[in-house]
Amino acid sequence: MAPVAEQLARGDLQGALKAVEGRRGLEAEVVRQGVAAAPQGPGSVDRVVAMVIKEQRLRYERFLSFL
């Protein structure tokens, strides 16, 4: 398991945030937004993660027609 995934599985949210600090990309943004939503419960995290993935996917797919 990747270090960030291990930290999240252990409930080490601050460690996971530190691991993605300064990083860009879908995975880092999912971790940041998911951790921010954690105090509102798992349902909120699910919604936020789905929203971030949807938004980020649009950014990535925008340039696919170029390829």
Side-chain angles (χ1 to χ4, degrees):
M1 201 181 315
V4 174
E6 289 173 6
Q7 290 168 318
L8 292 170
R10 287 193 315 262
D12 181 8
L13 302 182
Q14 293 307 311
L17 281 177
K18 195 173 229 182
V20 299
E21 189 175 322
R23 293 186 182 216
R24 296 174 47 181
L26 174 65
E27 296 87 355
E29 192 60 25
V30 166
V31 170
R32 281 191 285 274
Q33 296 297 327
V35 168
Q40 286 79 40
S44 181
V45 172
D46 285 344
R47 285 188 297 279
V48 166
V49 167
M51 180 188 66
V52 170
I53 290 172
K54 183 178 177 181
E55 288 173 355
Q56 293 292 317
R57 182 182 301 159
L58 291 175
R59 286 187 55 222
Y60 286 102
E61 289 177 352
R62 178 176 56 182
F63 298 107
L64 284 178
S65 62
F66 174 74
L67 299 174

